[in-house]
């Protein structure tokens, strides 16, 4: 079956990736290392090759002991007790949700499916606690260290309500977790899933070569090579966000790649021993995944293999893959094969997800990185009659215009095999044009973190000046958690945004201090209405309300209230000015900014009354047309219902004004921040400097209200489809939490040319 015959209803989008890898704190650096052929392993200076069989290298994570405990509400002691792989998975889960654009408070039903490695961190905690004479309850140690709690800790700390389960099958755990997550998505158990795994050792053990084990005594992994003597151990964390493809596209998610099919099986007794791989098992998993994906073997251009570099394992794996491919093709030497274990080592339970992330990056970018340390093929591998050729150099993926399709293969001690077929993403759906100006909102838990957020975003926009600022704004507004320290920036393009982000110190008001909003309406001022035509043209809610009032008024006054507003052919009359104030208030309210009370000065009392009573356009027009130059008691005859804004006397508002925040629509500055949870007064259009109202000044008002703690309906603010884009994620303020180890090693990253040959 070819891909043109496939129903994509079961396809799954990879909408985000995050991880920590040897030599790379993030996915972007990891990809750069792969493409540039870097071998990111560390030489342990106290374990260089000796006659007693020490294995001298390890794929280490930088700062694996560090964690932002305060961000996740951990005490220092709880952070110390918790296994580093749990902590890193939690940070990466937060990061990957932000990368997906779904890290905000309004989250889809999200499942968590992760695997982890068993390590000795709990034993180290017990020994440390006992040595200081202060034993820790065993339940507390278990909750911080057992793999049972890997997934549920993420769900609890991040508020995720879909299924949360730990998936354990040794080296294939994290790819099996992806398979289980996809099943949950297709069954409707959740709308989105975080899947992957981690393997982080609490301390680097004294590694000795065992002839019956898979680890190389020379500290170097050589997949498929005649000189391969095994692999090296490594730590890593990897997670992906998954959604059904059609839903991801419709929702504007960035799609890195499409998982067309996965399969999982077990060798059973079809092998020589419990830890020995079989040919039949991997062959069955690969063939099943191809069938699920509707992909013929000759459509697959690259396989990221398990590739441990062992004399036995590599030939068995290639034989199994060849058996699967031979079900649909007789071609030879057309499909490239490689293994990133040559770059970073074997990451145990995280091996499958790290391999999947590499495959996703390959199909997305159209590049296949070199599989390192290959000089001549293992003589036990019959490459000549197989579909495979070792990809020993970084090459562009030439697909002759066809869809790039790759695969990830994982085998494991115990025999659970997993295979995934991955294709390049389809084109994104088009979006509608946005406003000229865009509201970028930034928040963090601390002032320093907020400064880092602004700096990181500025760096990103300088690096990607072609970024669609409307999509950037949308991602920041809806894809990030809202914290107490806040700042906003208004910009029409990336250059203006960068300048604003780098200028000055972050402003903002603690969100807990905003008690309520009060809308104020004032006397008409014809000279401040110069921007009404632009708002009328771009803001649907404003236009509808203004037009309906004008239509209701027309039979009574014989002309269009809007003519002086939209065409500037003559001064606008007072009723038209009030209609603008009314339409502006309705626009702000449609964006979620609903006042607890309203008040009006002079003729503005009529507009306040109309908002308080939620009058229809016809009644609002009649109220506005009964105008005299004297102040009007607009409250007469107006029925105010529970749940609507309270209509206040203007004199009472004036007496309560000192020390409060006043947001003037169009004003260039505000008064000092309020304290103690005081009301915020929103002076609708009645700007002190008589500046014309405009879309930009309205957005500035929204920004100031949001910075003070108001809840804004950003979906309503952004009418029309927008895309979620990859942006810098939260800058964790990390500190070391490391249980003392009795015999610590001091690894130093060195060139193999200097130490090993």
């Amino acid at each position: 079956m070819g891909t043109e015959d496939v129903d994509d209803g079961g396809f799954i989008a990879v909408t985000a990736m995050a991880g920590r890898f040897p030599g790379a704190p993030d996915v972007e650096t990891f990809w750069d290392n792969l493409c540039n052929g870097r071998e990111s392993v560390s030489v342990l200076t106290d374990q260089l090759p000796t006659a007693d069989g020490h294995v001298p290298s390890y794929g280490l994570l930088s700062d694996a002991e560090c964690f932002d405990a305060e961000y996740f509400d951990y005490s220092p002691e709880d952070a110390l007790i918790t296994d580093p792989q749990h902590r890193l998975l939690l940070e990466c889960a937060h990061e990957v949700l932000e990368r997906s654009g779904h890290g905000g408070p309004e989250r889809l039903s999200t499942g968590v499916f992760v695997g982890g490695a068993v390590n000795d961190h709990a034993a180290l905690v017990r020994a440390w606690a006992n040595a200081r004479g202060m034993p820790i309850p065993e339940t507390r140690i278990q909750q911080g260290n057992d793999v049972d709690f890997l997934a549920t800790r993420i769900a609890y700390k991040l508020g995720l309500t879909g299924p949360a389960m730990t998936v354990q099958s040794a080296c294939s755990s994290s790819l099996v977790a992806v398979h289980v997550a996809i099943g949950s998505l297709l069954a409707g158990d959740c709308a989105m899933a975080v899947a992957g795994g981690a393997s982080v050792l609490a301390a680097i053990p004294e590694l000795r070569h065992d002839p019956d084990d898979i680890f190389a005594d020379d500290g170097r992994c050589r997949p498929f090579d005649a000189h391969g003597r095994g692999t090296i151990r490594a730590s890593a964390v990897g997670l992906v966000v998954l959604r059904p493809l059609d839903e991801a596209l419709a929702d504007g998610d960035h799609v890195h790649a499409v998982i067309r099919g996965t399969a999982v099986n077990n060798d059973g007794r079809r092998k020589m021993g419990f830890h020995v791989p079989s040919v039949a098992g991997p062959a069955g998993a690969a063939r099943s995944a191809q069938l699920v994906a509707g992909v013929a073997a000759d459509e697959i251009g690259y396989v990221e293999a398990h590739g441990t570099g062992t004399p036995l394992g590599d030939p068995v794996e290639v034989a199994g893959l060849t058996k699967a491919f031979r079900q649909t093709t007789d071609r030879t030497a057309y499909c490239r094969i490689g293994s990133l274990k040559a770059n970073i080592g074997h990451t145990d339970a995280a091996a499958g997800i790290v391999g999947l992330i590499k495959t996703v990056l390959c199909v997305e970018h159209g590049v296949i990185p070199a599989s390192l340390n290959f000089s001549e093929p293992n003589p036990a591998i019959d490459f000549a009659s197989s579909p495979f050729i070792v990809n020993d150099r970084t090459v562009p993926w030439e697909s002759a215009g066809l869809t790039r399709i790759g695969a990830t293969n994982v085998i494991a001690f115990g025999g659970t095999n997993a295979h995934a077929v991955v294709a390049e993403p389809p084109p994104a759906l088009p979006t509608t044009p946005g406003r000229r100006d865009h509201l970028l909102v930034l928040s963090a838990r601390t002032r320093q973190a907020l400064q880092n957020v602004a700096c990181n975003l500025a760096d990103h926009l300088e690096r990607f000046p072609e970024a669609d600022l409307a999509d950037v704004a949308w991602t920041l507004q809806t894809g990030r958690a809202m914290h107490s320290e806040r700042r906003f920036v208004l910009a029409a393009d990336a250059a203006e945004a960068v300048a604003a982000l780098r200028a000055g110190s972050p402003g903002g008001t603690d969100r807990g201090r905003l008690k309520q909003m009060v809308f104020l309406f004032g006397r008409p001022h014809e000279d401040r209405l110069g921007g009404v035509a632009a708002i009328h043209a771009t803001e649907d809610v404003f236009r509808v309300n203004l037009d309906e009032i004008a239509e209701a008024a027309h039979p009574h006054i014989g002309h269009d209230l809007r003519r002086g507003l939209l065409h500037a052919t003559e001064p606008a009359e007072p009723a038209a000015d009030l209609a603008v104030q009314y339409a502006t208030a309705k626009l702000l309210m449609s964006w979620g900014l609903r006042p607890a009370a309203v008040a009006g000065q002079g003729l503005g009392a009529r507009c306040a009354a109309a908002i308080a009573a939620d009058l229809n356009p016809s009644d609002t027009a009649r109220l506005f047309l009964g105008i005299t130059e004297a102040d009007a008691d607009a409250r007469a005859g107006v029925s105010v219902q529970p749940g609507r804004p309270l209509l206040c006397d203007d004199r009472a508002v004036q007496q309560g004004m000192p020390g409060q925040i006043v947001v003037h629509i169009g004003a260039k500055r505000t008064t000092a921040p309020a304290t103690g949870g005081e009301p915020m007064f929103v002076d609708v259009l009645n700007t002190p400097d008589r500046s014309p109202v405009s879309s930009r000044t309205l957005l500035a008002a929204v920004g100031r209200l949001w910075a003070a703690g108001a809840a804004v309906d950003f979906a309503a603010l952004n009418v029309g489809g927008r895309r979620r884009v990859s942006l810098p994620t939260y800058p964790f303020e990390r500190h070391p939490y490391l249980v003392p180890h009795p015999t610590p090693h001091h690894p130093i990253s060195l060139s193999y040319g200097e130490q090993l040959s």
Side-chain angles (χ1 to χ4, degrees), residues 467-497:
D468 187 323
L469 212 57
D471 291 342
V472 171
W474 170 247
T475 303
L476 293 172
Q477 292 164 1
T478 61
R480 300 291 185 268
M482 300 301 182
H483 301 294
S484 58
E485 294 290 339
R486 297 186 176 190
R487 180 186 177 188
F488 73 96
V489 163
L490 277 177
D493 54 38
E496 185 182 7

Side-chain angles (χ1 to χ4, degrees), residues 44 47 53-58 204-209 233 745:
L44 308 180
Q47 293 189 14
H54 280 101
V55 178
S57 57
Y58 189 89
I204 306 304
E206 185 176 281
L207 302 172
R208 292 181 179 273
H209 176 68
R233 300 189 71 174
H745 298 298

Side-chain angles (χ1 to χ4, degrees), residues 179-217:
H179 174 79
V180 175
I182 290 173
S184 186
L185 288 168
L186 296 178
D189 295 335
C190 53
M192 186 167 70
V194 175
S199 177
V200 182
L201 294 187
I204 306 304
E206 185 176 281
L207 302 172
R208 292 181 179 273
H209 176 68
D210 181 345
D212 294 327
D213 211 334
I214 64 171
F215 299 106
D217 58 354

